[in-house]
Amino acid sequence: LYSPQAMKIIGITGGIGSGKSVVCKIFEQLKIPVYEADSAAKLLYNKYPELKQSVRELVSEDAIDKNGNINRKKLAEIVFNDEEKLEILNKLVHPLVKRDFENWVESHKSYPYVLKEAAILFESGANKQCDLVIAVISPLELRIERIRQRDKKSKAEIEKIIASQLSDEELIKRSDFVIYNDEVQMVVPQVLKIHGEIMSK
């Protein structure tokens, strides 16, 4: 396990619309640093110009706009409809995210633990870097409604994304902790309980 000194790395994952970012904000209130893998991946294109070049050559020329920047919407469309290209893109991006995360962990060594938030924590193998994993689970209808409001996507588009991710049952089975973000159970007490357990391990 990649775990410098005694500091723990806790993974936090959940399907699209499950409310991971809400949960992460609560942990941040507890002064726990959060590394957002998806946001970090977006910044990598500017950090590593060679990544942009590889996307142009191996994925698609169309994914680069006329200013030489990544056109995220276009790139997402290309890889979402082409499994082979998605695999190529993941092979380009994941090692850089891993390196970026390791550097970030180095600079946060003084904390008792840090959170690594990633939608595809298990699929990308990033869970291997974590000591424990928290899954954020929400009812399907609620997730669809949240994404419709946030991303202005159609129900069919959202269902396609959800179908491509691990099921809640699978996430629960693979995770050490579960937070139910169902608008019935309070999220804060669940976070505080897990925080307490991690701190006492």
Side-chain angles (χ1 to χ4, degrees):
L1 265 183
Y2 177 82
S3 200
Q5 293 163 0
M7 190 193 77
K8 291 187 182 72
I9 294 171
I10 312 296
I12 183 159
T13 190
I16 185 171
S18 59
K20 293 183 295 300
S21 51
V22 171
V23 172
C24 286
K25 281 190 176 69
I26 301 168
F27 276 103
E28 285 178 326
Q29 294 293 312
L30 298 169
K31 303 281 183 282
I32 299 301
V34 178
Y35 179 90
E36 293 180 19
D38 302 345
S39 309
K42 288 173 187 164
L43 299 174
L44 291 179
Y45 292 108
N46 296 330
K47 249 190 213 175
Y48 302 99
E50 67 271 22
L51 176 59
K52 241 183 271 189
Q53 195 47 39
S54 302
V55 168
R56 183 192 294 265
E57 288 168 13
L58 301 171
V59 182
S60 172
E61 186 81 44
D62 296 339
I64 312 290
D65 68 20
K66 59 181 187 299
N67 301 318
N69 295 316
I70 293 280
N71 178 337
R72 284 184 213 297
K73 196 166 184 288
K74 191 77 191 145
L75 181 61
E77 272 169 25
I78 293 164
V79 298
F80 206 71
N81 295 305
D82 188 329
E83 256 174 50
E84 212 171 298
K85 287 192 170 164
L86 177 62
E87 206 170 304
I88 293 168
L89 183 67
N90 285 341
K91 280 192 177 131
L92 294 172
V93 174
H94 290 155
L96 292 178
V97 171
K98 184 170 183 277
R99 192 191 335 167
D100 193 62
F101 176 64
E102 286 171 3
N103 293 338
W104 181 86
V105 166
E106 280 296 317
S107 63
H108 290 81
K109 269 185 172 173
S110 57
Y111 292 86
Y113 69 94
V114 293
L115 285 181
K116 179 177 191 177
E117 189 245 306
I120 53 167
L121 190 80
F122 292 108
E123 297 94 321
S124 67
N127 62 303
K128 295 186 185 78
Q129 282 179 303
C130 304
D131 298 291
L132 297 161
V133 175
I134 302 166
V136 181
I137 303 296
S138 280
L140 195 57
E141 287 311 311
L142 195 54
R143 288 169 62 191
I144 290 170
E145 196 42 49
R146 280 183 195 141
I147 308 157
R148 278 173 83 155
Q149 288 178 7
R150 187 187 70 194
D151 300 345
K152 307 285 182 269
K153 284 181 168 24
S154 72
K155 192 172 178 191
E157 281 177 294
I158 297 165
E159 284 172 343
K160 194 175 174 189
I161 295 170
I162 289 173
S164 74
Q165 297 181 332
L166 284 179
S167 68
D168 285 354
E169 292 72 30
E170 195 57 42
L171 284 177
I172 292 168
K173 205 162 72 186
R174 295 191 193 190
S175 301
D176 303 279
F177 301 104
V178 179
I179 290 176
Y180 292 96
N181 182 16
D182 53 11
E183 294 183 3
V184 177
Q185 299 169 73
M186 304 266 288
V187 174
V188 174
Q190 296 181 72
V191 170
L192 291 174
K193 184 171 181 284
I194 290 171
H195 176 67
E197 285 186 39
I198 294 169
M199 293 295 274
S200 65
K201 277 187 189 292

